[in-house]
Amino acid sequence: MTTNGGDSETDAQADWLSRAILEAADATGIGVTLTVADGALKNVYANPAADALFGYPPGGLVKADPLAIVDSMDRQRFTELSEQFMLTGSFPPTVETTVTQASGRSTQVEVGLGGTTMEGRMAVVAFIADATQRNGALESLRRSEARFRSVVETIPEAIFITDGTRLVYANPAFCTAFGVERSHLDDGLDVLDLVHPDDARKLAEAVRGLSLGGVAHIECRMQPRAGTEMTLEASAIGVDLDHRLRVLFLGQDVTERKKLESKLLQADRLGVLGSLAAGMAHSINNPLSYTLLNLEHVARRMRDIGTEHDYYSEARVRLAEAHDGAERIAKIVRQMRILSRSRPSEPGPIDLRAVLESVLAMVGNEIRYRGQLVTRLDLTPRVWASEGELEQAFLGLLLYVARSASEKGPGAREIRLSTSVDDEGNGVVTVSDDGLVLDEPERRRLFDPFGGSDATGFGLAVCQSILKSVEGRIDVEYHPDGGTVFRVTLPPASAKGAPESRRREPARATVAPPPMRDRARVLVIDDDPGVASTLRAMLEAHHEIRSVTHGREGLRLLLGPEDFDIVFCDLIMPEVSGIDVFCAVELNRPDRVDRIVFMTGGVFTAEAEKFLARVPNPRVEKPFSLARVDQLLAQAVEKRARAATPDDATA
């Protein structure tokens, strides 16, 4: 090593070590300087890396003032350090500062300092490294950490870190959700204290033995210190924090989603119930049809026996009771079919009171079990709507009222249902419940399909939607002394010439059996042998009747030479349905297509609904009465007679 201070005798090994250090410093770009204190600081040596670091040509740095190259902001600090060195001979081991290069550009350097003596003078050996890139990287890292913390602190999902189960860190969202003060986090809160007891073991087992980078997905019920129970869906990840294995939890509150899934499941069950009701109605209607027809047939034949027979009076009573029981079953089945309607029926003038009576038959008992049901169904104008949709709307409303009532037994509260007409001629249905008290949050969520604790919220939401679709509305009044009133208003269908509503009257046999000279030629096509054989047994005394149990056989007869005045054809049959029979006759014998009367058992596919809406042919819904059959037969005979009149006149 050569300096401006003259020669110095050194040991050969020390000289070799010095050269090795300087060569290594040059190779790695580390600057080396030797500065002596001789009243003032003076550079006596600088390696090429130091010259390059400070922007000087080779040998230029030894001519520069050591303090002059220090940034003006740090010059005072270094002046004080040099004075301290000259007094005590000590310097801080490392110093970080900004220096000004020969070009005037500033750069950050890290300086390692060591004190020594040179020819009796104090000297400082400095190893200098460019710290610009490192400090930039550190600053970038600090900014990234700050941004990351900012995101974690503001994200709405709960994020927390544990050493297993005890909290090490929790973001504000966690503290808010679980009612935990951030000041209490240092107390080592055990997360299991916030978990539902039934789920605590599941959480502990999921994170036990979690390895670095390992992930476990957990769903558990939580019990916040403030608020109601919630369901947390979380991912637990094994992370390295301060060289220790920790568990990072990313949690999301899925309570509302779980409620929604539960409601959708209940709605799906209602759909299944509807399908079940449809199947049951269809299965019941066929045997019920021939049961009722047989009872009516026997009752008619009793007239022929004569009243003198000892058993006549009792038999008439027994038959009347059996017929009444079968009619009650038929009424129940008709109510079941409301649940099975997959699509709304075509709109038309609807009898409000008849719809309400139909719905009450389904839910009336449930209301009466929970309170006293008072009904007053006055005359109202008919309204223009789909009967199925209107039944669904009132079913939803009455179910909500029924299930909102506490189960305290009959008479515990009074629920009133009434119909009326307002000043504008609208039909009004009022449902009032003096025991239904709703607080403000419940009122806001009243028509929210997912706002309640069970599936009844769906009913009111659907009710409101249906009423809007027919230009109606539902208003709610809350009495200050308790009680709630629902008022449904529907515009009249008077513009379409609809009459006022009337009470439904049970069907009566108003058409007497035709005289022998007016025998009708009848074909019955039904896959249920009971229906076919019963109709044949009842009609064959007065009419010419053929019955078959396969659609293909019925179609063969209809397309053949044999002529029929009327054809009773089941709509839904295996292999060849009533629709298939109609379409084949329409294509090959269009003159006979208007003679078909469809019998329906209550199960309508989408195709069947579209078909029935398209064709004008009459239809009878099982179970049907003999009176309806007699009426259709009489019409068929009369039509045949009218068609024959011109020929007779010509003859």
Side-chain angles (χ1 to χ4, degrees), residues 461-481:
V462 171
C463 175
Q464 185 183 55
S465 176
I466 291 174
L467 293 175
K468 285 182 178 179
S469 70
V470 295
E471 300 179 2
R473 69 177 189 274
I474 179 169
D475 300 305
V476 187
E477 297 176 4
Y478 307 102
H479 291 176
D481 55 347

Side-chain angles (χ1 to χ4, degrees), residues 8 12-13 38 44 165 176 186 217 237 245 279 290 314 348 355 462 520 541:
S8 64
Q13 186 176 3
D38 190 10
V44 294
T165 61
T176 301
D186 295 334
H217 300 287
I237 308 168
L245 180 62
Y290 58 77
E314 183 180 352
V355 168
V462 171

Side-chain angles (χ1 to χ4, degrees), residues 229-352:
E229 181 182 295
M230 62 181 285
T231 303
L232 186 73
E233 187 177 76
S235 295
I237 308 168
V239 298
D240 184 354
L241 184 64
D242 296 331
H243 306 294
R244 294 182 180 180
L245 180 62
R246 298 286 188 257
V247 181
L248 169 67
F249 289 87
L250 306 176
Q252 183 179 12
D253 182 359
V254 294
T255 308
E256 292 303 317
R257 193 190 76 191
K258 287 296 178 182
K259 289 181 180 179
L260 174 60
E261 290 174 354
S262 176
K263 291 176 186 294
L264 292 176
L265 179 60
Q266 292 186 56
D268 184 61
R269 287 172 178 168
L270 289 176
V272 173
L273 178 61
S275 300
L276 178 62
M280 290 178 62
H282 184 264
S283 299
I284 294 172
N285 271 332
N286 278 332
L288 189 58
S289 295
Y290 58 77
T291 299
L292 279 168
L293 290 173
N294 274 309
L295 288 171
E296 289 191 49
H297 178 61
V298 172
R300 287 186 177 183
R301 294 298 302 272
M302 287 287 293
R303 296 200 235 358
D304 300 334
I305 296 176
T307 58
E308 295 82 8
H309 197 283
D310 294 339
Y311 189 64
Y312 178 81
S313 297
E314 183 180 352
R316 288 293 301 271
V317 172
R318 298 284 82 79
L319 284 172
E321 288 181 353
H323 191 273
D324 180 66
E327 283 287 1
R328 290 176 63 183
I329 295 173
K331 185 176 181 180
I332 293 171
V333 172
R334 282 194 291 270
Q335 312 314 321
M336 289 170 60
R337 289 175 58 186
I338 293 176
L339 293 175
S340 69
R341 288 177 176 161
S342 59
R343 296 167 183 254
S345 54
E346 291 296 321
I350 301 300
D351 187 334
L352 260 182

